[in-house]
Amino acid sequence: MSFVLDAATERPAAIYGAALNHRRLQAALAAEFEQAPYQRPPQAPVLFVKPRNTVSASGAPIPFPADADAVYAGGALGVRIARDACRVSPADALSHVGGYAVVNEVSLAETSFYRPAIQAKCRDGFCPIGPEAGPGAINPQRVQVRTYVNGALAETNDSADWLRGVAQLIADVSQFLTLYAGDLLIVATPPRNVRLRPGDTVAVEIDGIGRLENIVAAEEDIQ
């Protein structure tokens, strides 16, 4: 998997993720959000980035860093932008979608949602991206992302639990950040409950799109 390059601007496609777009995750952090200086949950989407070094494909090893206590899977839906989206409405948002992808948004434990989790989320190989399908392959309002570890179902990430659906998320993000053709938007990652260890096989599946599968390996063992 490689970044798309816009020949006219030589702008590599970007990967953005919605950090707090899952009801169970926001509920788990409710008490923290009530404390100063914020005193309420974020009102606009909170985004993180997955830079070029994180991107890998199905079958590539997921590195387990030597300095990490735990690595967590993050099965999610990725939305591929086909037309630049700037200040679009929810009604028009899906017309900017070129397709959908299976994503494993791998992360270390996140200690704060008030500052970018660069060290947790941006490690090498921490964003395997699997099969992609066209916009008609799924109904973005009815999606279930299933994560398996060593063949056993470990977690489901259901669109019913997303605070913002695909159309609303694109619309809200595009109010302050232009999503360019080729960009990928990771819709929602649930609380970090799927803990991975070296030797594990982790798979993410979305009906209508396909299956992404990777083996976790100690970082020093990956050439």
Side-chain angles (χ1 to χ4, degrees), residues 16-190:
Y16 304 103
L20 293 171
N21 197 35
H22 198 282
R23 296 183 194 281
R24 284 190 281 121
L25 179 57
Q26 185 149 308
L29 297 169
E32 183 178 346
F33 290 143
E34 292 174 0
Q35 299 176 12
Y38 301 98
Q39 299 181 327
R40 64 174 183 170
Q43 302 303 296
V46 176
L47 299 183
F48 59 88
V49 296
K50 286 286 191 177
R52 183 188 300 262
N53 68 295
T54 66
V55 178
S56 66
S58 187
I62 295 173
F64 194 107
D67 61 345
D69 294 325
V71 172
Y72 296 91
L77 175 70
V79 179
R80 185 69 71 182
I81 302 299
R83 294 194 299 124
D84 295 357
C86 180
R87 299 186 180 89
V88 303
S89 68
D92 184 49
L94 293 183
S95 71
H96 294 261
V97 174
Y100 300 97
V102 183
V103 179
N104 190 350
E105 194 273 290
V106 180
S107 180
L108 305 184
E110 297 169 68
T111 58
S112 174
F113 285 88
Y114 296 124
R115 59 181 180 271
I118 300 297
Q119 292 190 26
K121 291 182 172 292
C122 298
R123 301 293 182 108
D124 291 352
F126 267 27
C127 193
I129 300 173
E132 297 197 26
I138 64 169
N139 177 352
Q141 296 180 326
R142 299 185 65 180
V143 178
Q144 186 180 80
V145 185
R146 298 181 299 277
T147 301
Y148 300 84
V149 177
N150 300 325
L153 180 64
E155 183 174 68
T156 59
N157 179 4
D158 197 291
S159 55
D161 292 323
W162 300 346
L163 296 172
R164 292 175 173 87
V166 172
Q168 189 65 57
L169 182 64
I170 291 172
D172 288 350
V173 169
S174 73
Q175 301 309 305
F176 61 86
L177 182 156
T178 298
L179 294 167
Y180 291 101
D183 287 352
L184 189 73
L185 183 62
I186 301 171
V187 179
T189 305

